[in-house]
Amino acid sequence: MSAHEPAIGSPLTALDRLEPVYAPPVRTAASSAEEERRRRRMISNRESARRSRLRKQRQLEGLRLEANRLGSQNRGLADRLGALSYYAALFRRENARLRDDSAALRRRLDDIRRSALWWRLVRMPQMPSADSADVGGRYVPVNDPILASLMV
């Protein structure tokens, strides 16, 4: 017979059927204060982690907004660059055309000057005067501004 079993023939009471229970260690004021500190620290850590998650969430949302804004700005700048490139190409073509026109007009003006000089020289007298110089057998007036400008 075990220590927990009642003797044969003895009436069983409710207390006799229970297994022995070990009581928790007696808590002292020091251990209770330590548990309270642990509990407060645990609550504080949870709250700190919650604040950290919220801060990270706000930061992530800010970065998303910034990325959207920069993407939109990038698309706008790309569109603007495309338009400016188009107009730059137009201006380059127009500049090239104007340069060609200018060169053609310069050649034409030179031809006209040579022709005018030739005609002027043909009509010059063959006799020298006091204010003339010998140019190819012709005597050209030195103080003639039109003739001087054509001889450039």
Side-chain angles (χ1 to χ4, degrees), residues 29-98:
S31 68
S32 178
E34 190 176 310
E35 275 187 36
E36 183 60 25
R37 266 187 269 127
R38 279 188 198 143
R39 190 181 65 75
R40 276 195 224 133
R41 191 170 52 236
M42 185 175 68
I43 290 171
S44 174
N45 286 348
R46 285 180 183 165
E47 190 60 27
S48 177
R50 185 184 70 79
R51 285 191 307 267
S52 179
R53 285 190 302 273
L54 288 174
R55 187 173 46 249
K56 193 177 283 188
Q57 194 174 22
R58 282 192 305 269
Q59 185 181 15
L60 183 60
E61 184 60 28
L63 290 173
R64 281 187 186 126
L65 290 173
E66 180 75 2
N68 289 339
R69 185 186 66 77
L70 289 173
S72 175
Q73 183 181 11
N74 191 26
R75 285 187 296 279
L77 289 172
D79 291 347
R80 188 172 170 198
L81 177 64
L84 290 174
S85 295
Y86 171 77
Y87 287 115
L90 284 179
F91 291 140
R92 278 193 294 275
R93 282 196 300 270
E94 181 68 10
N95 256 354
R97 186 189 62 78
L98 290 173

Side-chain angles (χ1 to χ4, degrees), residues 92-110:
R92 278 193 294 275
R93 282 196 300 270
E94 181 68 10
N95 256 354
R97 186 189 62 78
L98 290 173
R99 266 190 248 109
D100 291 345
D101 288 353
S102 174
L105 288 172
R106 232 181 280 113
R107 285 190 302 272
R108 190 169 169 197
L109 182 60
D110 288 343

